[in-house]
Amino acid sequence: MLRALDLFGAEWRKLWGNRRVSGCALVVWPVMALGASLGLLLLNVLEARLRTVQLLSWTDVALSVWDVQSNLIGRVAVLAVAATLFAGEYQWRTWKNIVPRRPRVQLMAAKFAVLGFAILLTFIVMSVVMTVGFGVVNLVVGAPYGPDPTLNVIGDFLTRYSIRAGLSFVDTILIGAVVALLAMRARSVLAGAFFGLVVLLIDEALILILGTLSLLFNNESWLELLRLRFTYNLSNLSAILQGGGPLAPVPFPVTMNASGTGFTPPRWRPTRWRSRR
Amino acid sequence: MSEIAIETRNLTRRFGRVLAVDDLNLAVETGQVYGFLGPNGAGKTTTIRMLLNLVRPTHGEVFIYGEPVARNHGVLKRVGAQVEDATFYAFLSGRRNLEVLARISGVDVDGRIDALLAQAGLAERARDRVGTYSTGMRQRLGLAATLLTDPDLLLLDEPTSGMDPAGMASVRDFIKSLPAQGKTVFLSSHLLSEVEQVCDRVAIINRGRVVAEGPVSALLEQGGLSSLLIEAAPVETARAALAAWSPVDAAERPGWLYLAGAADDAPAVTQRLVEAGVAVHQVVRQRQTLEAFFLSVTGEGVVVEGAGGDAPGA
Ligand SMILES: Nc1ncnc2c1ncn2[C@@H]1O[C@H](COP(=O)(O)OP(=O)(O)O)[C@@H](O)[C@H]1O
Ligand SMILES: [Mg+2]
């Protein structure tokens, strides 16, 4: 067990020691949260008409981070980290140094664990920064920042937060598995990330492709194939775990919107901070 | 009888049409520095990769301390290895690289790391990124990395490549000191002088096949090729007197005679010359260099028993 922690520690140090990757793909998120808070503060101080923050609740702010993580941009961070973890050893020709020191299965497991926990930590820190940052903004402008943290509220929040964080972890590991396969085939970090992106884009574009097909053939059953998207399956799981029913595989009415971009409509946009529930 | 550290049985590896290693049977006893000598592309690195279970053999098996490595990864805990040039995480410091490798090995070595860095002459640069190191420094860090776990067996693949002469000499001295600490060394090299200086036994490999194997000293004498060089006057009288040894003119020494395989006959040769009234100026015992031997077993033309016929174009 201690030896497993040792291995995790080694991979963890390697990832964070790689400043270019950890900086661009991980550290940047809490920094962006800080920037968003400062920007919002500035806007609110300068321009009273933009005082929309008072409609925010700290629970929504904290949870919104997981929407960021699971959208395309958030997943690109996962791609970058995963490609580095899995193709880096080929590119730097360092596999030969570590494979004799540990069974391959353990090395791979450690990389997946580091990937999952690094993403988790990054976005937890981001949510703390953002919750506190937006809180400060609300304090400065004298707006309420509910709900009151009663035991019930906190309990409910923590449950939802853990579910979202847990799903992000699963999402990360799944994407990591795809990238690991691609990156280890390509033996290059950039190629691994690139092919990973292609897979993600195809996953997103399936809505467009299948939507078009269903319109062309006037047959909605094409859309049933969207159930194969792993993004759909994760959102579905998320909805079920959070007490909602199963989701339809298409996030919008087809007839109106099949020519849409294929992206799930963003729920998170700093200038439109209104609780949608 | 001492224990066998490395044993290969019919070890073979094919890459497409290239037979990189062909039916290799080695037995390396503990406490030796065992040389693995061959020109570039002979199959040295591929062999070491198979010893470490980095590459799967096409045929055959590797045993380290009697354990089959393919089925018992654990035995590699007793091994420290450096395959080809030393590679590291360029963005981490030398020290951090060793720490990471120690953790991956699952050994607690914090005390040793500073000692190893000092031994490698890297104490002052230990906190700099490896990306800023010279090739020689990286090679020395690589050697330090092989020693992290205090292994019983070291596999070193051309560890002096990229080093300056002083660095090479210190690495060789260091390798020579290892058997006294109870360690066994498997040293691959394409440098004959290196193997000659450092190794107790040597296997010579060419195109994936072992063409000769044995104690370095015995290989040097093998085939009765050790010879005598004689400077005597008049040379024609000397030639006649030494007819029993079939003398020939020495290649690069006009006026000298060359007696192949006569190294042990120096007293008898001198006596014959004196009896024939020849003035003997010099009798030089010419030991065959490993270099010459190497050429004779790997090069075209010269055939050494049990080696020459099937090596080229196999
Ligand atoms: N991964 C590989 N793929 C294809 N051929 C290889 C591979 N590794 C080695 N070889 C070939 O095997 C032969 C032996 O190579 P190698 O073991 O590196 O020799 P050495 O270390 O003695 O210089 C060479 O012909 C080389 O081109
Ligand atoms: Mg080599």
Side-chain angles (χ1 to χ4, degrees):
Chain A
M1 186 60 212
L2 275 180
R3 280 174 36 94
L5 278 182
D6 259 353
L7 180 56
F8 181 86
E11 288 295 330
W12 187 257
R13 271 153 225 251
K14 268 195 276 186
L15 175 62
W16 293 99
N18 193 344
R19 296 268 160 74
R20 207 178 305 167
V21 169
S22 60
C24 294
L26 299 172
V27 177
V28 69
W29 295 103
V31 171
M32 283 195 326
L34 192 65
S37 307
L38 289 176
L40 205 58
L41 183 62
L42 217 60
L43 279 179
N44 276 279
V45 170
L46 293 178
E47 184 55 72
R49 273 178 302 142
L50 290 170
R51 287 199 180 159
T52 53
V53 270
Q54 60 262 34
L55 295 165
L56 294 177
S57 68
W58 62 268
T59 49
D60 279 354
V61 172
L63 286 167
S64 68
V65 161
W66 300 111
D67 292 333
V68 179
Q69 196 285 315
S70 57
N71 79 15
L72 191 64
I73 309 283
R75 285 169 163 184
V76 170
V78 176
L79 284 183
V81 174
T84 305
L85 282 167
F86 293 105
E89 311 276 1
Y90 282 110
Q91 193 166 326
W92 310 318
R93 303 198 305 119
T94 44
W95 267 122
K96 67 182 187 190
N97 299 337
I98 60 175
V99 169
R101 294 175 191 263
R102 287 276 183 157
R104 285 175 176 80
V105 179
Q106 289 183 27
L107 290 168
M108 294 300 284
K111 284 179 183 295
F112 276 109
V114 163
L115 173 66
F117 283 108
I119 297 288
L120 210 53
L121 177 73
T122 295
F123 285 91
I124 287 174
V125 172
M126 181 182 180
S127 76
V128 170
V129 169
M130 207 155 86
T131 309
V132 171
F134 282 27
V136 169
V137 177
N138 282 35
L139 202 68
V140 168
V141 302
Y145 197 45
D148 287 340
T150 61
L151 270 187
N152 255 348
V153 167
I154 291 181
D156 180 50
F157 167 74
L158 285 182
T159 308
R160 282 168 64 196
Y161 195 89
S162 328
I163 289 172
R164 294 304 310 271
L167 285 166
S168 261
F169 189 85
V170 174
D171 188 50
T172 300
I173 298 296
L174 288 180
I175 294 176
V178 172
V179 175
L181 281 175
L182 297 169
M184 292 173 68
R185 276 253 139 239
R187 305 198 164 195
S188 135
V189 173
L190 275 180
F194 175 77
F195 291 129
L197 187 63
V198 170
V199 170
L200 282 190
L201 288 175
I202 290 175
D203 190 62
E204 299 281 357
L206 272 182
I207 295 181
L208 193 64
I209 296 167
L210 294 174
T212 312
L213 285 175
S214 79
L215 285 180
L216 274 179
F217 296 102
N218 201 14
N219 183 349
E220 296 239 334
S221 58
W222 282 102
L223 290 169
E224 290 300 308
L225 285 176
L226 285 176
R227 292 184 189 282
L228 298 177
R229 292 175 68 214
F230 76 112
T231 311
Y232 161 71
N233 283 291
L234 280 170
S235 327
N236 195 19
L237 191 60
S238 161
I240 293 169
L241 285 176
Q242 289 179 91
L247 294 177
V250 194
F252 41 76
V254 182
T255 42
M256 280 174 54
N257 208 354
S259 59
T261 58
F263 298 102
T264 24
R267 279 177 53 197
W268 186 84
R269 194 164 281 171
T271 50
R272 285 206 284 131
W273 270 112
R274 272 161 223 280
S275 183
R276 295 172 151 258
R277 307 171 155 266
Chain B
M1 206 191 88
S2 52
E3 202 187 349
I4 302 292
I6 303 173
E7 188 187 353
T8 69
R9 292 189 198 152
N10 310 110
L11 195 63
T12 301
R13 173 69 206 206
R14 190 179 269 289
F15 293 107
R17 284 172 43 245
V18 177
L19 199 51
V21 174
D22 186 7
D23 198 29
L24 190 70
N25 291 285
L26 290 178
V28 178
E29 288 181 10
T30 53
Q32 292 188 329
V33 178
Y34 192 99
F36 196 46
L37 179 64
N40 287 332
K44 303 183 295 295
T45 298
T46 304
T47 301
I48 289 181
R49 284 182 180 276
M50 287 193 284
L51 297 182
L52 290 165
N53 202 20
L54 280 167
V55 161
R56 207 178 293 276
T58 310
H59 293 296
E61 232 180 331
V62 173
F63 298 85
I64 303 282
Y65 294 110
E67 299 287 338
V69 277
R71 279 170 282 144
N72 184 357
H73 190 276
V75 74
L76 289 176
K77 284 198 191 89
R78 295 179 67 182
V79 179
Q82 169 71 68
V83 183
E84 291 190 312
D85 52 326
T87 54
F88 290 97
Y89 306 107
F91 46 83
L92 298 179
S93 71
R95 187 168 211 295
R96 202 49 168 229
N97 265 288
L98 292 191
E99 285 168 10
V100 161
L101 288 175
R103 280 173 186 272
I104 292 175
S105 301
V107 290
D108 186 16
V109 290
D110 274 349
R112 284 172 61 83
I113 287 181
D114 285 319
L116 286 169
L117 284 165
Q119 190 177 17
L122 292 170
E124 271 151 37
R125 299 290 304 276
R127 296 191 181 278
D128 297 345
R129 289 170 52 241
V130 168
T132 67
Y133 287 13
S134 69
T135 310
M137 291 168 73
R138 270 200 288 271
Q139 290 291 76
R140 280 182 278 142
L141 187 62
L143 217 49
T146 64
L147 294 165
L148 269 176
T149 55
D150 194 18
D152 298 321
L153 171 64
L154 284 114
L155 309 183
L156 304 177
D157 189 11
E158 312 210 19
T160 59
S161 74
M163 287 188 170
D164 58 25
M168 286 179 150
S170 77
V171 167
R172 286 173 191 157
D173 285 344
F174 172 70
I175 292 173
K176 274 194 267 191
S177 75
L178 290 169
Q181 302 167 39
K183 298 190 190 304
T184 308
V185 182
F186 186 78
L187 171 73
S188 98
S189 180
H190 70 279
L191 298 174
L192 310 143
S193 55
E194 182 163 278
V195 168
E196 198 166 2
Q197 285 169 44
V198 175
C199 299
D200 306 307
R201 266 184 100 85
V202 61
I204 299 180
I205 179 174
N206 192 35
R207 300 182 197 221
R209 292 188 73 93
V210 170
V211 290
E213 201 274 346
V216 172
S217 54
L219 281 189
L220 291 175
E221 309 280 339
Q222 187 178 333
L225 288 170
S226 290
S227 31
L228 282 184
L229 281 172
I230 292 149
E231 186 185 16
V235 69
E236 286 318 317
T237 318
R239 195 193 303 277
L242 299 177
W245 283 278
S246 23
V248 294
D249 291 325
E252 287 166 10
R253 299 194 193 191
W256 289 59
L257 293 175
Y258 176 84
L259 275 58
D264 294 333
D265 299 340
V269 166
T270 315
Q271 194 182 353
R272 282 290 287 128
L273 290 172
V274 171
E275 282 168 12
V278 172
V280 180
H281 296 288
Q282 295 186 64
V283 175
V284 180
R285 187 179 163 134
Q286 169 135 324
R287 207 181 65 138
Q288 184 187 21
T289 62
L290 196 48
E291 187 122 19
F293 179 74
F294 185 72
L295 286 176
S296 75
V297 293
T298 63
E300 332 293 337
V302 182
V303 175
V304 167
E305 204 184 346
D310 50 358

